[in-house]
Amino acid sequence: MAVTYNKLWHLLIDRGMKKKDLQEAAGLTNHTMLKLRKDQDITTETIGKICKALGCDSTDIMEFYENDNSKVDTL
């Protein structure tokens, strides 16, 4: 099972925000932003910070999929 943050990037586009805006609003480090860009795992604390900054739910920013790239479920 893997994760993708494509929903997050689409949400930022819809709101006219840049990744740097998200980083500042949520208080994220450069390392965390790199992990997001590479679709790597992040902590639930970080997910909470992002959701609080954007006023959204975790299902609005990420989803899980099987490693064979077929989408299965949203978080």
Side-chain angles (χ1 to χ4, degrees), residues 4-31:
T4 181
Y5 302 103
N6 287 338
K7 287 179 150 188
L8 173 61
W9 310 130
H10 289 286
L11 183 63
L12 292 181
I13 290 168
D14 291 345
R15 295 185 181 193
M17 293 178 71
K18 298 180 189 261
K19 291 176 183 175
K20 189 69 174 174
D21 298 330
L22 171 65
Q23 183 176 0
E24 292 172 3
L28 305 177
T29 65
N30 288 333
H31 180 71

Side-chain angles (χ1 to χ4, degrees), residues 12-61:
L12 292 181
I13 290 168
D14 291 345
R15 295 185 181 193
M17 293 178 71
K18 298 180 189 261
K19 291 176 183 175
K20 189 69 174 174
D21 298 330
L22 171 65
Q23 183 176 0
E24 292 172 3
L28 305 177
T29 65
N30 288 333
H31 180 71
T32 298
M33 293 301 296
L34 178 63
K35 290 177 85 170
L36 287 167
R37 285 192 294 275
K38 292 185 173 187
D39 286 334
Q40 295 177 345
D41 294 335
I42 57 173
T43 66
T44 53
E45 180 181 0
T46 300
I47 294 168
K49 287 180 181 180
I50 294 169
C51 290
K52 183 177 180 182
L54 296 176
C56 66
D57 190 76
S58 61
T59 58
D60 297 323
I61 64 168

